[in-house]
Amino acid sequence: MNTPRAGVGVMPLKGGSASGEAMPVARPLWRHGLTLAAGIVLALPALSQQVALSGVAGGKALVNIDGAAPRFMSPGQSQQGVKLLSVQGEAAVFDIGGQRLTLRVGDAPVSLGRSSSGTDGGAQRIVLTADARGHFMPQGQINGRAVQFMVDTGATMVILSESDARRIQLDYSKGRKVGVNTANGHVVGHQVQLASVRVGDSQVHGVAAIVLPQPMTYVLLGNSFLTRFQMQRHNDQLTLERRY
């Protein structure tokens, strides 16, 4: 199993799992002593479509979409842009506008943001200029809410603090708990999936992230976002060309 990287190791809590792929980078721009694992959970954006799993029976899922009466769906069936991929015990996997989401019976309704076409959108190129310390510090948005990013090619995922998560109204408490080794010791974080991440005029949907309890000055823009782009650095400029 490939181990996600950002400086040290990641240890899932008992009963959890850690998986994910980090973009191969020979020399990261800088390191922060964090190693993170990818995960799939929930995020609440400002503009969204609401989906809830009310029950599972006979290999079918009882699904509530945007507050309408629940309806049974079979794997492969679509309703209102929501496609049921599979049913696994008391959980179901959906594709919503190109974003994969796992829901469990009894979970609160989940809101998932989409662009007007249901796909990632915006500019195909992002050009960033380094600050006086050589860091790339773009303003951006998570789930439609403003954040201050710092590009970190040594981080497997987007990383934000609990205080930032609360500020942007991200419900990280339902995320899968993982143990994370940091420069300041072992902490317990929450794996989540962000509905959308925007930098400049380019927006990406379904971005893996980890929420950590300790304060952080910036949101680290890691490889769960950066791997969607081809990166080239020339002097004090970093160019991100959209790959997919």
Side-chain angles (χ1 to χ4, degrees):
M1 180 179 70
N2 293 331
T3 301
R5 297 169 297 169
V8 275
V10 126
M11 296 178 293
L13 296 184
K14 186 176 181 180
S17 64
S19 62
E21 296 181 356
M23 182 179 64
V25 178
R27 297 180 63 184
L29 299 179
W30 46 82
R31 295 181 180 273
H32 291 270
L34 297 173
T35 299
L36 309 171
I40 300 176
V41 253
L42 319 176
L44 299 178
L47 299 174
S48 56
Q49 182 176 33
Q50 190 176 78
V51 182
L53 180 63
S54 301
V56 173
K60 296 183 178 181
L62 185 61
V63 184
N64 180 291
I65 302 173
D66 288 337
R71 297 178 60 183
F72 276 106
M73 296 176 62
S74 300
Q77 185 179 359
S78 297
Q79 292 182 19
Q80 298 175 235
V82 177
K83 183 177 181 179
L84 175 63
L85 299 178
S86 63
V87 176
Q88 305 164 357
E90 294 189 348
V93 181
F94 297 89
D95 183 289
I96 305 174
Q99 305 173 63
R100 186 175 292 239
L101 181 70
T102 300
L103 293 179
R104 295 184 180 278
V105 175
D107 283 346
V110 174
S111 298
L112 203 63
R114 298 182 299 172
S115 64
S116 58
S117 63
T119 60
D120 295 345
Q124 299 301 302
R125 173 184 289 187
I126 305 170
V127 180
L128 306 176
T129 301
D131 64 13
R133 299 173 298 168
H135 296 170
F136 296 95
M137 309 286 296
Q139 297 283 339
Q141 296 179 355
I142 292 177
N143 297 350
R145 298 181 181 275
V147 297
Q148 175 65 64
F149 285 118
M150 181 169 71
V151 174
D152 189 348
T153 60
T156 303
M157 293 193 294
V158 172
I159 311 164
L160 64 159
S161 66
E162 289 183 357
S163 59
D164 269 330
R166 288 191 293 268
R167 180 180 60 81
I168 65 174
Q169 299 180 19
L170 173 65
D171 185 6
Y172 62 89
S173 63
K174 295 184 177 67
R176 185 188 302 276
K177 292 183 178 180
V178 291
V180 181
N181 286 331
T182 75
N184 296 320
H186 181 83
V187 299
V188 176
H190 290 80
Q191 298 179 23
V192 298
Q193 183 167 337
L194 307 175
S196 65
V197 174
R198 176 180 288 273
V199 176
D201 293 326
S202 188
Q203 180 166 269
V204 173
H205 293 289
V207 179
I210 266 192
V211 179
L212 296 180
Q214 66 260 44
M216 295 173 58
T217 306
Y218 313 108
V219 176
L220 301 185
L221 190 63
N223 287 319
S224 55
F225 177 87
L226 297 174
T227 50
R228 310 289 182 95
F229 299 84
Q230 179 70 39
M231 297 195 302
Q232 291 186 341
R233 181 173 181 175
H234 181 69
N235 296 328
D236 65 344
Q237 284 197 333
L238 179 66
T239 301
L240 307 179
E241 293 275 0
R242 194 64 169 266
R243 297 173 56 210
Y244 62 92

